[in-house]
Each structure stands twice: as C-alpha cells, then as structure tokens.
Amino acid sequence: MMNNLELLYSSQEIEQAISQIAATLNDTYKDKDPIIVGVLKGSLCFVSDLIRKLSFPFTLEFIRAKSYGLRGDKPQEVTIEGIDFDISHKDIIVVDDIFDRGETLHKILDELNKHHPASIKSVLLLRKKSKKMISLEPDYTLLDIEDKFVIGYGLDYKEHYRGLDGIYAFKSIP
Ligand code: 5GP
Ligand code: MG
C-alpha cells in the first residue's frame, strides 16, 4: 500500500509546526476563551493534536464542509453544516486541513460571520500552491505543499488513508 506514496511531512515535522502555531495562539488568546471550530473530517488529527498544546481556556465545536460540482475553472458549490452553537460576540478560531483554492474557507467565514462573532481567525494545516479562486488568505498556515493530491494525518482519498501519521502524496493516482 505504501510503495505508491511519497512522504511530504513526517509526524515529527507536523508536531514541530503545531508547537510553533500553538505558541503563537497561546500568546494571542491568553486572556480569552474562544470557540475552536474544527472542520470535519479532514481536520480531525490536527485539531486533536493542536488542542493538547493550548494553555488558554476554550470550547470545541465541529462543523462539516461539503463541496459539490467538478473541480475545474468554475468555483465549487460549498455547503456548511452544523453551525448549531452560539457564536455571537465570541472569538472564533477555525481549524481546517487544507487551503487549496480557498472556496471552502471563504464559505465557512461567510456562514460564521452571519452569526456576528466578536472575531474570527483561521488556522490551516496545509497551504497548496494552486491557482487561488478567491482573494482571501488564512490568518495562519503551518506547512506548504505543491499542487498535488495529499493524504494521511486525517486527509482521505475516497475515505481511506486518514490514519497515516505523516502527510503523503501519491506518486501516481490509483
Ligand atoms: P478549497 O475549497 O480551498 O479549494 O479546498 C479545500 C478542501 O478541499 C479541503 O478542506 C479538503 O477537504 C479538500 N482538498 C483539497 N486538496 C486536497 C488534497 O490534496 N487532499 C485531500 N484529501 N483533500 C483535499
Ligand atoms: Mg475540508
């Protein structure tokens, strides 16, 4: 199963990057009590490792983002499910897996902003070098990747491979 995979980031490299971002967040949020909003399913490993390095009080919620339509030159339709918790006047930290063309994060921020939070920041594990569809940048990104399909550390290909402890690219798409 592993011969078709190229390791991009080992679990040690991921851990180091998470420690760095956690230090930044610990400073920024030291007197606050934000809501951490994880985006399922891809952020599952990232969220679970990140929250164990935080030293400020927070609550944790999850939402789901689903994309429809073929990925081409047109923007995809993204829908957000699960915003059923109270956001108004709260500080929000959105935690997601990949910033690719930006449509998903754009839609998430749009939907959350409708509920009048005090502030929103976004933390993205990976930033892909791809043609961005949207003029929006995440507040924090941890690791850069080439424009390749990646899996592992929560990320799937057809719902598999989420349990790999590093981040991998396929040498050839199966
Ligand atoms: P965007 O809306 O920024 O184009 O796409 C972001 C979403 O697409 C990510 O949250 C992720 O769910 C999915 N995605 C984009 N690139 C990859 C990839 O290389 N591997 C996997 N597993 N998902 C990806
Ligand atoms: Mg996603």
Side-chain angles (χ1 to χ4, degrees):
M1 162 177 131
M2 302 292 286
N3 347 340
N4 189 25
L5 299 181
E6 172 197 358
L7 179 67
L8 301 182
Y9 291 106
S10 66
S11 57
Q12 290 88 339
E13 289 171 306
I14 298 168
E15 215 231 301
Q16 227 171 50
I18 295 177
S19 294
Q20 274 181 27
I21 204 72
T24 303
L25 295 174
N26 285 338
D27 191 43
T28 308
Y29 291 93
K30 61 176 179 285
D31 303 315
K32 305 207 174 220
D33 185 353
I35 310 178
I36 294 183
V37 178
V39 184
L40 292 173
K41 303 174 193 169
S43 73
L44 120 108
C45 295
F46 181 31
V47 169
S48 98
D49 284 341
L50 178 65
I51 60 173
R52 283 174 284 176
K53 293 182 188 291
L54 300 179
S55 53
F56 53 86
F58 62 85
T59 55
L60 178 62
E61 301 287 351
F62 287 98
I63 58 176
R64 275 191 78 158
K66 289 185 179 168
S67 307
Y68 298 90
L70 292 170
R71 295 177 78 82
D73 286 334
K74 275 197 280 177
Q76 288 198 289
E77 279 296 311
V78 182
T79 59
I80 309 300
E81 292 173 0
I83 306 180
D84 52 9
F85 45 95
D86 189 17
I87 291 170
S88 61
H89 310 296
K90 297 282 278 180
D91 297 303
I92 308 289
I93 307 174
V94 176
V95 179
D96 201 2
D97 52 4
I98 302 189
F99 185 71
D100 182 5
R101 303 200 306 175
E103 290 145 358
T104 305
L105 183 61
H106 181 256
K107 185 73 180 184
I108 289 169
L109 297 179
D110 240 32
E111 292 298 321
L112 291 172
N113 271 319
K114 287 182 186 166
H115 302 267
H116 310 293
S119 73
I120 305 189
K121 290 207 186 234
S122 52
V123 183
L124 281 280
L125 177 66
L126 300 172
R127 185 182 202 286
K128 222 188 244 197
K129 287 184 192 140
S130 54
K131 198 172 107 198
K132 303 296 172 206
M133 300 294 281
I134 270 155
S135 60
L136 161 82
E137 285 294 324
D139 294 290
Y140 307 102
T141 58
L142 280 67
L143 301 167
D144 287 326
I145 52 171
E146 298 295 320
D147 193 2
K148 289 178 179 173
F149 193 81
V150 299
I151 52 161
Y153 194 70
L155 292 158
D156 74 306
Y157 172 67
K158 296 187 176 171
E159 293 301 325
H160 286 82
Y161 301 99
R162 293 191 198 273
L164 298 177
D165 68 354
I167 292 164
Y168 295 82
F170 284 113
K171 290 176 186 160
S172 60
I173 292 290

